[in-house]
Amino acid sequence: MAEMQFREALRAAMVEEMERDDTIFLMGEEVAEYDGAYKVSEGMLAQFGAKRVIDTPISENGFAGLGIGAALNGLRPIVEFMTWNFSFVAIDQLINNAAKIRYMSGGQFKVPIVFRGPNGAAGQLAATHNTSTESIYATFPGLKVVAPSNPDDAKGLLKSAIRDDDPVIFLESEVMFGWKGDVSEEKNYLIPIGKARIARQGDAVTIVGHSKSYWVAMKTAEMLAEDGIEAEVIDPRTIRPLDIDTILESIRKTNRCVIIDESNPFASISSEMTYQIQERAFDYLDAPIMRITAKDTPAPYAKNLMEYYMPSAQDAYDACRKVMYVD
């Protein structure tokens, strides 16, 4: 194991895969000469050259389509969006082409491509740069959606995504790029897409949180532990396919569930999880499922409003005590 930043783990995954397979290439705005807007691709131009680490114009619709065309012709592109907010310029390419070509061609064509970049809120970036996009892309069959919470998962899941024959939406938190953790140095270190992680064992309440929300879930669990309450924390790691079985197994033990989700609440990831839980484990629930999400409004700019807008550990702590009828 080696201690790495989240961005270093992502880079290690891309470098190892590009060394293994020369059909893989990276492209996006500032990924080459500038070494990446967030330095995720630092040094990759020098190692692989300008034919495999490619700077693009500010033209998301164009380079997303170029990537899909390359994938259809036998290459394995990694397309970086400087932020997933900019992916909306290219959304037709993602949801109508990448997601559907395999189905519409009767399986004649596969689209092995990864679209990756920073997702979700990152401080005072205001309404157009703080969107959590997982609930948007997860609604389209044909796309896999991955949202890791730590450097080790980031490496293992990105390597699996690059080797996948279907298009993968890979969502990274901008806030976490500098966070450190132990990362496997195995060359074939793969974490399967679609398998959740039980991050903390407990029997009083199940807390579900992905990506940055996972850390809110862990903080909430620590607050509850001070009250003598042991919460179980589940990190889904993959939004679609969703490992609902691991979540259900936990709820059958704790009988209570709180979901922390940075999405806006309407038609969110937590909405879908709540439906699937009540559909398959209603008789095991001793209290209604509660969710802690971003507020149902565009993200504000003011620091105090942004702190109020985001899901907090205090809100999740209060929700956990409520589903346990402690208060």
Side-chain angles (χ1 to χ4, degrees):
M1 303 289 280
E3 186 179 60
M4 292 185 187
Q5 293 180 332
F6 196 92
R7 62 164 61 85
E8 293 171 334
L10 293 167
R11 185 190 313 137
M14 291 191 290
V15 167
E16 288 177 12
E17 291 304 295
M18 288 175 70
E19 288 174 340
R20 181 187 61 82
D21 182 350
D22 60 11
T23 68
I24 301 168
F25 68 96
L26 170 68
M27 66 176 172
E29 295 152 356
E30 298 184 345
V31 300
E33 295 289 345
Y34 190 66
D35 277 334
Y38 299 97
K39 304 306 175 192
V40 174
S41 56
E42 188 171 31
M44 291 180 65
L45 173 64
Q47 180 174 354
F48 295 103
K51 289 186 176 179
R52 297 185 67 194
V53 182
I54 304 167
D55 276 329
T56 66
I58 302 174
S59 57
E60 283 78 6
N61 191 42
F63 65 75
L66 189 157
I68 294 167
L72 289 170
N73 284 280
L75 301 181
R76 289 184 174 271
I78 305 168
V79 174
E80 177 177 309
F81 291 120
M82 190 179 291
T83 155
W84 273 96
N85 295 274
F86 298 167
S87 76
F88 298 146
V89 180
I91 195 166
D92 181 61
Q93 294 288 0
L94 274 62
I95 67 174
N96 274 330
N97 291 329
K100 297 170 182 170
I101 285 174
R102 191 167 192 172
Y103 176 82
M104 295 179 69
S105 70
Q108 295 182 80
F109 300 104
K110 58 186 179 182
V111 189
I113 186 170
V114 176
F115 297 99
R116 48 156 295 267
N119 174 63
Q124 292 178 263
L125 299 180
T128 60
H129 287 66
N130 273 315
T131 308
S132 287
T133 64
E134 50 267 59
S135 60
I136 298 170
Y137 289 111
T139 197
F140 292 100
L143 294 177
K144 296 178 180 176
V145 180
V146 179
S149 67
N150 62 80
D152 192 56
D153 282 0
K155 181 182 178 184
L157 286 165
L158 182 54
K159 287 169 69 72
S160 293
I162 292 168
R163 298 186 189 191
D164 201 290
D165 282 342
D166 291 315
V168 179
I169 305 294
F170 201 90
L171 305 173
E172 305 150 7
S173 168
E174 178 180 334
V175 172
M176 295 197 304
F177 277 144
W179 293 7
K180 293 181 178 179
D182 289 335
V183 176
S184 173
E185 296 180 283
E186 292 180 28
K187 291 293 184 183
N188 279 312
Y189 183 61
L190 302 174
I191 294 176
I193 292 174
K195 183 61 180 173
R197 178 172 65 98
I198 302 172
R200 188 183 192 281
Q201 297 279 352
D203 58 7
V205 59
T206 298
I207 308 174
V208 183
H210 67 276
S211 188
K212 190 154 76 274
S213 294
Y214 159 77
W215 296 101
V216 180
M218 291 298 286
K219 184 177 180 181
T220 303
E222 292 170 6
M223 293 167 67
L224 291 167
E226 293 178 2
D227 299 337
I229 299 169
E230 294 301 327
E232 184 146 292
V233 176
I234 306 293
D235 177 2
R237 300 198 286 200
T238 302
I239 302 302
R240 187 166 186 162
L242 177 66
D243 183 6
I244 191 66
D245 290 338
T246 295
I247 297 171
L248 293 173
E249 184 178 350
S250 176
I251 290 171
R252 290 185 183 112
K253 178 173 64 173
T254 66
N255 311 114
R256 297 167 175 84
C257 182
V258 171
I259 303 168
I260 306 172
D261 177 10
E262 196 177 305
S263 309
N264 294 118
F266 190 89
S268 63
I269 296 302
S270 55
S271 303
E272 176 63 22
M273 287 183 186
T274 299
Y275 175 78
Q276 292 199 33
I277 292 167
Q278 69 82 28
E279 181 185 38
R280 298 170 63 177
F282 180 81
D283 290 340
Y284 290 88
L285 291 170
D286 285 345
I289 301 164
M290 292 193 69
R291 58 179 181 165
I292 305 299
T293 68
K295 302 299 184 293
D296 195 15
T297 177
Y301 176 77
K303 185 175 185 297
N304 60 332
L305 293 178
M306 191 62 194
E307 290 172 353
Y308 174 72
Y309 170 83
M310 293 292 289
S312 72
Q314 183 62 54
D315 288 344
Y317 169 82
D318 293 342
C320 288
R321 290 179 64 88
K322 189 170 184 178
V323 300
M324 289 184 287
Y325 304 111
V326 174
D327 296 325

